[in-house]
Amino acid sequence: VRSPVADPKSKGVICGLTLDTSEKYLALLYLATIQGIAYGTRHIVEHCNAHGHKIDTLLACGGLAKNSLYIQEHADIIGCPIILPRENESVLLGASVLGAVAAKKFSGIHDAMKSMNAAGKVVHPSSDPRVKKYHDAKYKIFRSLYEQQLSHRSTMAQALQ
């Protein structure tokens, strides 16, 4: 279970399911899943920033960094730019860095990383205020669903006593 909630008893929630089985509906479920992950990431970033950190840019790597919809939704929902690495095979790059250090081509991992990697494309949040308004409203619902879950859990625990 991810921070800042760190509740191993929490459950995933999909709200608003219908009996629709069309491709369009499946695509909307896929989008909602991406958005749910991004709302969770927004919660983490907000929590960190409220506790002394100053996160205003994210760096994405790995397989999902190749998914432009995933990255753009995260930028829009979190409200900060996301930097993609120039090299999109981060595992291979990491192995190369370690190999270069082991072969004494660099004095340390930090020097190898600085030399062998660089920022690539930067994905910015949408400048459309309607996008921000939409995600702010949806994020509020996202957060309230967990509070409802706690209330439901308490109700059921009392009923089972």
Side-chain angles (χ1 to χ4, degrees):
V1 176
R2 293 173 49 184
S3 63
V5 173
D7 178 359
K9 294 181 181 178
S10 69
K11 306 286 186 221
V13 175
I14 299 176
C15 184
L17 288 176
T18 72
L19 297 177
D20 190 342
T21 59
S22 68
E23 285 182 23
K24 179 180 178 183
Y25 186 69
L26 181 60
L28 288 172
L29 283 176
Y30 176 73
L31 177 61
T33 301
I34 289 173
Q35 290 173 341
I37 294 166
Y39 295 131
T41 303
R42 176 176 169 175
H43 188 202
I44 293 167
V45 169
E46 286 181 354
H47 180 81
C48 289
N49 285 344
H51 291 87
H53 298 278
K54 187 178 182 330
I55 300 169
D56 60 7
T57 304
L58 298 179
L59 173 65
C61 63
L64 286 172
K66 299 174 189 175
N67 183 326
S68 60
L69 177 64
Y70 183 90
I71 296 300
Q72 187 62 61
E73 288 297 310
H74 274 71
D76 291 345
I77 289 167
I78 299 165
C80 66
I82 299 179
I83 301 170
L84 302 176
R86 182 182 63 203
E87 172 55 58
N88 62 14
E89 293 296 340
S90 56
V91 173
L92 297 177
L93 178 60
S96 305
V97 166
L98 294 175
V101 173
K104 307 276 191 238
K105 300 292 182 189
F106 295 95
S107 62
I109 291 175
H110 184 71
D111 289 337
M113 288 172 56
K114 281 176 56 177
S115 175
M116 297 174 71
N117 194 20
K121 178 181 176 184
V122 178
V123 178
H124 295 277
S126 172
S127 58
D128 184 342
R130 296 173 299 177
V131 172
K132 181 178 181 347
K133 183 178 179 182
Y134 172 83
H135 285 303
D136 286 349
K138 207 166 175 187
Y139 178 65
K140 187 175 179 181
I141 293 167
F142 170 84
R143 294 291 305 273
S144 74
L145 287 172
Y146 178 70
E147 298 304 321
Q148 289 175 26
Q149 186 178 138
L150 292 177
S151 174
H152 297 166
R153 194 186 305 165
S154 174
T155 300
M156 291 310 298
Q158 290 173 9
L160 295 173
Q161 288 180 353

